[in-house]
Amino acid sequence: MKFFLLTILIILLALANLYIGSVSVPAGEVTKILLGSQSSVQAFNFIVLESRLPQAITGIVAGAALAVSGLLLQTAFRNPLASPSLLGITSGASLGVAIVTFLSGGTIAVAGISAGGFMAVMIAAFAGSLATMALLLVLSAWLKNDLLLLITGVLLGYLVSSVITLLNFSASASGIQSYVMWGMGSFSGLTMANVGAFTAVTACGLIIALLLVKPLNIIQLGSSYARNLGVNLTAVRNLLLVATGLLTAAVTAYCGPVAFIGLAVPHITRMIFPTSDHRTLLPATTLCGSAVALLCNLLCVIPSSGILPLNAVTPLIGVPVIIYVILARRR
């Protein structure tokens, strides 16, 4: 019943994202466009099909990806405050974008092929995320302790932030502005032409996460118990890093470093579904992540004076949840 209600909530929020926006489009025109007809006002066709529809799809996919990443990390490291940004993967994406924006003028050129603008930012963010993930995989071969790997990820994030700060000194005013705008996060960067690629990469990460359901259930009982049952903890941890890296890299590359969804949504899911069984938690977290992301995107476009940055809205939902979790654990 709860899964059914969550699905209905996602559908309602997706429709709200299609009908409500910073530009007023009559509901009848939106309905006509969604049913396949063309509006007499060409601007309405573009707004609904090339702006609001991709944003809704992106919100559904990105919310699910970040939420599942947070659930995987919180379970594997047995830390309620673990999130996709904690391992430095988001920081790696930020460094890639900073290098392209500050040092190369927003253009990437490899083997005679160049890319600029949004495409350059996307490629740089994805490359930075995957490079960080690869480094973590190499380090995991030496760092057998999960806590040490977690601490290494945090330190790596601080190191990357320091490098980005140094790059700021040599950047132009326009470069800094572009980087700041990207860092605010947004679901509006994709068009219908590249939503498919974004969804495909995210689907690969979610499939790997589904393969980890049984090992994660066993790991919750303790590392020693898991080893006795024949669970290869190193293989599980590497698969977890790959899944988290793919999910976080895809979302950060296309949407910017979206905050708090990966941290707060797993806790919201546990409040709705009071279980530790990942056969229930994983699909529930996927749905909750999509619902929260759609809600945040809707709140961004409600003000008539303009569109709010995504990272200005996500803390409004995430921070109260985290404070509640901290106080509940203290009690």
Side-chain angles (χ1 to χ4, degrees):
M1 185 61 180
K2 291 179 181 178
F3 280 103
F4 175 74
L5 292 176
L6 274 175
T7 304
I8 296 298
L9 177 62
I10 290 172
I11 293 172
L12 292 176
L13 286 170
L15 289 173
N17 274 268
L18 293 173
Y19 281 86
I20 300 173
S22 58
V23 177
S24 178
V25 179
E29 293 293 321
V30 176
T31 302
K32 184 166 71 173
I33 293 169
L34 292 176
L35 291 177
S37 301
Q38 289 289 314
S39 171
S40 57
V41 182
Q42 288 300 317
F44 290 168
N45 296 318
F46 179 83
I47 289 170
V48 174
L49 296 179
E50 295 299 327
S51 178
R52 293 184 184 178
L53 183 58
Q55 277 190 57
I57 297 173
T58 302
I60 291 171
V61 177
L66 291 173
V68 168
S69 296
L71 177 66
L72 293 177
L73 293 173
Q74 289 171 14
T75 301
F77 294 107
R78 293 187 288 279
N79 188 329
L81 299 180
S83 67
S85 60
L86 197 64
L87 284 176
I89 297 172
T90 303
S91 298
S94 300
L95 178 60
V97 173
I99 291 173
V100 169
T101 305
F102 297 156
L103 299 183
S104 65
T107 304
I108 295 177
V110 179
I113 301 174
S114 63
F118 173 74
M119 182 61 66
V121 169
M122 183 194 70
I123 293 172
F126 201 76
S129 296
L130 293 183
T132 307
M133 183 186 71
L135 179 59
L136 287 171
L137 286 172
V138 172
L139 291 174
S140 69
W142 285 279
L143 300 174
K144 302 298 182 182
N145 186 285
D146 288 338
L147 180 60
L148 289 177
L149 184 61
L150 191 65
I151 293 172
T152 301
V154 173
L155 293 175
L156 190 61
Y158 278 115
L159 178 62
V160 169
S161 297
S162 176
V163 174
I164 293 172
T165 303
L166 292 174
L167 288 175
N168 272 305
F169 283 96
S170 61
S172 63
S174 60
I176 294 175
Q177 183 181 9
S178 299
Y179 181 77
V180 169
M181 293 298 294
W182 174 81
M184 290 180 178
S186 174
F187 293 144
S188 62
L190 280 83
T191 63
M192 290 304 296
N194 46 30
V195 159
F198 172 59
T199 304
V201 174
T202 305
C204 293
L206 292 175
I207 290 171
I208 297 173
L210 286 172
L211 298 175
L212 294 172
V213 166
K214 186 175 179 180
L216 287 174
N217 279 341
I218 298 174
I219 286 173
Q220 291 181 100
L221 303 175
S223 300
S224 300
Y225 184 77
R227 287 193 189 92
N228 291 335
L229 289 180
V231 176
N232 188 333
L233 295 179
T234 301
V236 169
R237 187 170 60 172
N238 288 342
L239 275 176
L240 184 142
L241 287 175
V242 170
T244 305
L246 281 175
L247 294 172
T248 307
V251 175
T252 307
Y254 284 97
C255 309
V258 181
F260 280 103
I261 291 181
L263 179 59
V265 170
H267 296 295
I268 297 174
T269 306
R270 292 187 182 98
M271 295 175 194
I272 302 172
F273 296 84
T275 178
S276 58
D277 188 350
H278 282 70
R279 289 174 296 181
T280 300
L281 275 181
L282 188 64
T285 301
T286 303
L287 294 177
C288 284
S290 297
V292 169
L294 286 172
L295 175 60
C296 290
N297 191 64
L298 185 62
L299 293 175
C300 287
V301 300
I302 283 179
S304 57
S305 57
I307 300 175
L308 294 174
L310 187 60
N311 281 334
V313 174
T314 52
L316 299 178
I317 296 175
V319 171
V321 171
I322 300 307
I323 291 175
Y324 171 80
V325 170
I326 292 172
L327 293 177
R329 284 181 169 267
R330 186 167 180 258
R331 288 196 299 266

